[in-house]
Amino acid sequence: DVFAFRGVPAAWKEELVWGTDVSVRTATENERKKLHRIGGEPVIATLALGEGGAIELAARAENKDALLGPFATADHRSPVPAPD
């Protein structure tokens, strides 16, 4: 599945990445200091990329399901098969 994002504030370039798997965890104390504008209990999602590597995304805990998208009901320990 594809994750689309744009940097803020006012970044004009959009990025699209192909995600194959995701894992979610609560942010560490150190990460929370950097993410103070997100809210008191941010979560960090690590999105495995189809071309290799990974990116980390942060969101408010109440937005976790929206961040997970189609992976919200998947078993996050096993990769999603790539389309044929």
Side-chain angles (χ1 to χ4, degrees), residues 1 3 22 63-74 76:
D1 289 277
F3 185 81
V22 68
N63 296 329
K64 176 183 162 189
D65 287 341
L67 179 64
L68 293 176
F71 299 110
T73 58
H76 302 307

Side-chain angles (χ1 to χ4, degrees), residues 36-58:
H36 60 90
R37 291 187 179 135
I38 290 181
E41 295 298 323
V43 294
I44 306 293
T46 303
L47 181 64
L49 303 178
E51 64 271 0
I55 59 172
E56 288 188 328
L57 312 160

